[in-house]
């Protein structure tokens, strides 16, 4: 399955919430000094770099979960974040949800994707270091990793 075909959110109210996240691409064109980095980075992203996807599971049994966590709170927080990408008027509310940790904490495992998941045009832009921003800001649609 291609990463664009993944389910965005899934909530089972008395069990947990699963939230998809994506890292657009991390590799030589997006990270300065890529070849001299710790080999652990290369084992995580591959020598040529990779896109990544993850399902973050938010459950009551998570080892560092907030005491007031509910799966519905995680659903509301993450669904609001997705709406706020299209409607900036919601961003203050989303920032409040994040500050109060209504979504709790979560964990998951990343899956690597080769650059070939992108069109040739996008591949050229990534390899040329064009268009992706390595700065981490909450609402930058060109950042390397999307805030999930």
């Amino acid at each position: 399955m291609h990463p664009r075909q993944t389910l965005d959110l899934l909530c089972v109210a008395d069990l947990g919430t699963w939230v998809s996240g994506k890292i657009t691409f991390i590799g030589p064109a997006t990270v300065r000094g890529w070849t001299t980095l710790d080999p652990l980075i290369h084992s995580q992203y591959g020598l040529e770099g990779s896109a990544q996807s993850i399902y973050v599971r938010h459950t009551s049994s998570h080892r560092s979960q907030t005491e007031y966590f509910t799966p519905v709170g995680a659903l509301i927080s993450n669904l609001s974040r997705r709406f706020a990408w299209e409607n900036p008027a919601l961003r203050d509310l989303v920032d409040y949800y994040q500050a109060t940790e209504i979504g709790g904490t979560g964990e998951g495992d990343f899956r690597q994707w080769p650059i070939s998941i992108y069109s040739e045009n996008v591949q050229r832009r990534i390899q040329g270091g064009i268009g992706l921003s390595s700065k981490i800001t909450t609402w930058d649609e060109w950042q390397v990793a999307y805030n999930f």
Side-chain angles (χ1 to χ4, degrees):
M1 174 185 312
H2 194 281
R4 72 174 168 255
Q5 296 171 320
T6 60
L7 190 63
D8 290 332
L9 292 161
L10 174 66
C11 178
V12 178
D14 60 349
L15 184 60
T17 297
W18 291 260
V19 181
S20 69
K22 296 172 181 73
I23 294 178
T24 308
F25 197 84
I26 293 182
T30 59
V31 177
R32 195 174 316 188
W34 179 259
T35 57
T36 61
L37 292 176
D38 185 320
L40 181 61
I41 297 293
H42 295 142
S43 68
Q44 184 175 355
Y45 297 104
L47 291 174
E48 301 300 316
S50 65
Q52 305 252 321
S53 63
I54 186 172
Y55 272 111
V56 179
R57 62 189 166 275
H58 300 265
T59 62
S60 297
S61 61
H62 185 266
R63 65 184 172 277
S64 61
Q65 193 55 270
T66 57
E67 66 181 78
Y68 47 85
F69 167 81
T70 66
V72 173
L75 172 69
I76 290 168
S77 175
N78 286 286
L79 191 58
S80 298
R81 176 173 299 286
R82 292 172 191 277
F83 288 148
W85 278 100
E86 298 298 323
N87 185 349
L90 295 173
R91 292 179 181 177
D92 287 341
L93 180 61
V94 171
D95 291 342
Y96 170 76
Y97 287 160
Q98 184 171 344
T100 61
E101 298 180 336
I102 190 176
T105 59
E107 64 184 347
D109 298 315
F110 281 97
R111 177 178 176 182
Q112 286 187 5
W113 296 92
I115 198 168
S116 62
I117 63 169
Y118 295 113
S119 68
E120 289 182 18
N121 183 39
V122 172
Q123 288 179 42
R124 281 192 299 275
R125 290 179 61 92
I126 290 171
Q127 291 167 333
I130 301 169
L132 297 178
S133 170
S134 60
K135 64 181 179 177
I136 303 298
T137 60
T138 305
W139 300 108
D140 178 3
E141 64 188 23
W142 293 105
Q143 64 186 329
V144 171
Y146 284 95
N147 199 350
F148 36 81

